Amino acid sequence: MAVVQTQTLGTIPCPYVENAVIQLDFRPEGQPTSLKLDVRFVKVFKPFTMSEAAVVELVPGLRPVVEGLLPRQFVVKFFDPRHMRNELRRMRDHARERADAPWTFGFRSFFLSMLRDFRSERWPNYWNVLGSRVFDDDRRFYKEGDDLRRLIWAAEMDHWEEVIGCHHREVAAYRALEPLQGRSIPKIFGTATYVPPEDGMDDALLSTVPCFFMEYIEGASLEEFELVNGPGTAPSGALRLTNEDALRASHAIIEVARSVRNLGVSNNDIAAHNILLRNLDPLDPTDGGSRQDVCDVRGLLATLKWSLSSPYRARAETPNPLTGFAYENYLLGIAPRHREAFFDEIPEELRESTRITVDEHGREYTWQPARWKLKPSVLRTSDEDQEWGLDEKMVKLIRAL
């Protein structure tokens, strides 16, 4: 695979560093006008992935201007593709150094040259961030000739499209989740723009960086906890959490995931580092929730050993017309912890009889009786989440697996 070298002279200066002061044009939520604010970086969260996130504070003297609009410290998420790695496969194939690092001075020169060519030669536009998009599929752009410079340019533009699109999606998600803000997810205070230092070209793509302000949560992610008995901090430095408190927190986390789902927002990044716990009160700073999301949360908590996934009552009590409880018997047979927590074994003399069934095509099956039944004490089940959003036909299908 041929590679074009575009990296020289080190990475460009990053403005998102601790103690730096920058000016932002802030528009509070629900207000038509914006304010000029100077903020100082207090803490920067690295590595930068799809945004540059930092805790900031207002410089002295601005407090009366924003009284009631902003707390003393808050988080700003910047969406500036220049200062994060472009890990798209096409970039790894053609300019690996860009996939491994932010912009260098050499890559900036290359990008500006290609951007000037794009503007002056009026190449077909496949990207919303460059203005009015003409084509929906950028694969045609990649196929035009064998110019590796254009391939690298297109891969970088795909990166910009994804990062800026992430900003729009995340802001939209927080607004859709407004009833949960400040309780189950951080509160969003408004959007803003940042005018970065001159990059060598006056172009709308480079002239502003979109960002938004959100509540700073003093908490710890799930991956920072260690399940132990007793309060305090574990010798490893992890935070202690008893099994009882972990179970309480798990129930609360599942309820948050359900609330997010019910408001129509979906998340494809369910992970321990994306869920914060504050005094056993979970806050999910991600933008997530769907039928599968809640099931993923249950699976995550089970993996962390915070809780066992609640049983699916309907399937445990609904036999398949042809195979009976064969599938449920198999699942419980390979999951002893789950089985012992939620099920009692049915004495063999009380089980139904095994029998042969025949489908409409004349194929024979063995109908198996249930070997276990739900304990009377089981109150929490996953039925609501397993069946959420499904039509009657699909519900019958998954119950009778």
Side-chain angles (χ1 to χ4, degrees), residues 120-138:
S120 62
E121 298 182 20
R122 300 186 180 278
W123 292 344
N125 182 19
Y126 299 85
W127 301 280
N128 290 311
V129 293
L130 287 174
S132 299
R133 186 171 64 177
V134 178
F135 298 101
D136 291 331
D137 189 349
D138 66 4

Side-chain angles (χ1 to χ4, degrees), residues 139-191:
R139 285 177 295 182
R140 290 177 55 187
F141 187 92
Y142 286 101
K143 292 178 180 178
E144 292 180 11
D146 57 355
D147 185 351
L148 286 184
R149 290 171 59 84
R150 292 191 66 174
L151 293 179
I152 295 171
W153 152 263
E156 182 67 8
M157 288 313 308
D158 285 348
H159 175 60
W160 280 69
E161 189 86 341
E162 177 61 23
V163 171
I164 303 304
C166 183
H167 167 263
H168 297 312
R169 291 191 296 272
E170 195 160 347
V171 170
Y174 274 103
R175 287 172 174 166
L177 299 175
E178 192 276 335
L180 304 181
Q181 288 185 25
R183 297 187 299 109
S184 301
I185 65 170
K187 181 178 177 61
I188 183 173
F189 300 116
T191 57

Side-chain angles (χ1 to χ4, degrees), residues 25 45 73 134 173 175 181 202 224 229 242 245 273 358 398:
D25 191 13
F45 300 101
Q73 291 187 345
V134 178
R175 287 172 174 166
Q181 288 185 25
D202 183 14
E224 297 178 63
N229 289 317
T242 65
D245 284 341
H273 64 267
V358 181
I398 65 171

Side-chain angles (χ1 to χ4, degrees), residues 42-84:
V42 176
K43 178 181 179 181
V44 177
F45 300 101
K46 287 191 174 182
F48 298 148
T49 52
M50 292 305 292
S51 66
E52 297 89 355
V55 179
V56 304
E57 62 184 8
L58 296 171
V59 299
L62 284 175
R63 173 54 53 191
V65 179
V66 295
E67 194 69 44
L69 296 177
L70 292 170
R72 185 178 66 86
Q73 291 187 345
F74 51 93
V75 171
V76 180
K77 294 189 74 172
F78 299 87
F79 293 80
D80 189 343
R82 286 165 283 209
H83 300 287
M84 58 187 74

Side-chain angles (χ1 to χ4, degrees), residues 331-341:
L331 292 179
L332 294 176
I334 62 174
R337 290 183 64 237
H338 184 81
R339 183 180 70 237
E340 292 166 7

Side-chain angles (χ1 to χ4, degrees), residues 27 42 53 92 178 184 187 193 203 213 267 279 300 375:
R27 174 169 290 183
V42 176
R92 292 199 305 269
E178 192 276 335
S184 301
K187 181 178 177 61
T193 54
D203 189 274
F213 294 7
N267 176 27
N279 297 326
L300 170 65
K375 293 180 177 180

